[in-house]
Amino acid sequence: MLPSREIPQFQDDADDWLRFLDKAAKGSIKAEDCLHSADLTYMVALTGDPESPNKLDLGEYAEQFRLTFPATPPGNSIHELIERTVEHRWFPHLFCGSETRIHPDADYAQLWKRRRCVQTTALLNDALLHCLEHWAADDCLQCLDEYSVDFNSRIIVSGMLYLSFTWPEEPRS
């Protein structure tokens, strides 16, 4: 699990969870870029090979990812997941989560193109609910495959939550 709100970025300085969420709530392509770079860094952490993004077959990576993905989420309710995000300092304070979605998925699509923004707490709530309800390596991989200028922000944030919750621990020496 990511120990702080810093999101590791492949061959770049770490990004910040709050900045990422703000970009996703606006539909900025920078949020999708951040997820993609974090995914490459995750690949390096999982394989232990800094060259893996350039040489590892994606099918092989997906299989390795599936084998290491936890069987259950790090909480049994949205409230427990919110507590975990605050405990690891991804977000500065608790917020009231909803056990039902705040917005339908379509409300999170093409935000930049439609010149719309969504509230970050609503976006985070719905992404957390998605992760909780669909916890699986294959769902995570689908979220990571979302790559389009007109992406769905809920999918991008769900992908980052999946990565953050399952981030490989550093090997202990």
Side-chain angles (χ1 to χ4, degrees):
M1 191 170 291
L2 282 181
S4 74
R5 68 188 231 190
E6 288 187 346
I7 300 170
Q9 299 290 282
F10 186 65
Q11 298 179 335
D12 204 353
D13 294 334
D15 209 329
D16 178 89
W17 245 108
L18 294 176
R19 183 175 181 276
F20 164 76
L21 192 59
D22 181 62
K23 296 293 183 192
K26 296 173 184 170
S28 169
I29 194 66
K30 291 179 182 179
E32 204 290 324
D33 290 342
C34 180
L35 175 63
H36 180 68
S37 185
D39 183 27
L40 294 176
T41 307
Y42 188 103
M43 180 188 290
V44 170
L46 183 65
T47 63
D49 181 359
E51 295 298 316
S52 60
N54 299 319
K55 66 180 186 181
L56 186 63
D57 175 71
L58 291 179
E60 186 180 327
Y61 171 61
E63 190 55 38
Q64 193 170 358
F65 185 88
R66 285 182 190 99
L67 291 172
T68 60
F69 196 85
T72 59
N76 294 317
S77 69
I78 188 164
H79 303 291
E80 288 180 17
L81 292 181
I82 292 169
E83 287 174 2
R84 296 301 299 263
T85 66
V86 172
E87 175 184 313
H88 285 84
R89 300 179 305 280
W90 303 345
F91 309 107
H93 53 78
L94 295 172
F95 65 93
C96 291
S98 170
E99 294 290 343
T100 59
R101 293 192 188 241
I102 295 172
H103 296 290
D105 235 21
D107 286 4
Y108 297 115
Q110 302 179 339
L111 293 174
W112 190 266
K113 184 177 185 177
R114 295 185 298 130
R115 295 191 172 114
R116 300 274 189 237
C117 290
V118 293
Q119 289 184 329
T120 56
T121 52
L123 175 56
L124 184 57
N125 183 89
D126 291 352
L128 284 164
L129 272 178
H130 177 86
C131 291
L132 188 62
E133 294 169 354
H134 302 278
W135 188 263
D138 285 333
D139 192 71
C140 177
L141 291 169
Q142 278 186 306
C143 290
L144 299 176
D145 279 345
E146 178 83 355
Y147 196 79
S148 164
V149 171
D150 297 324
F151 64 87
N152 181 306
S153 291
R154 198 273 312 143
I155 293 171
I156 295 299
V157 174
S158 295
M160 190 66 82
L161 285 166
Y162 275 130
L163 291 181
S164 297
F165 281 130
T166 64
W167 201 273
E169 289 188 26
E170 297 278 327
R172 297 182 187 186
S173 39

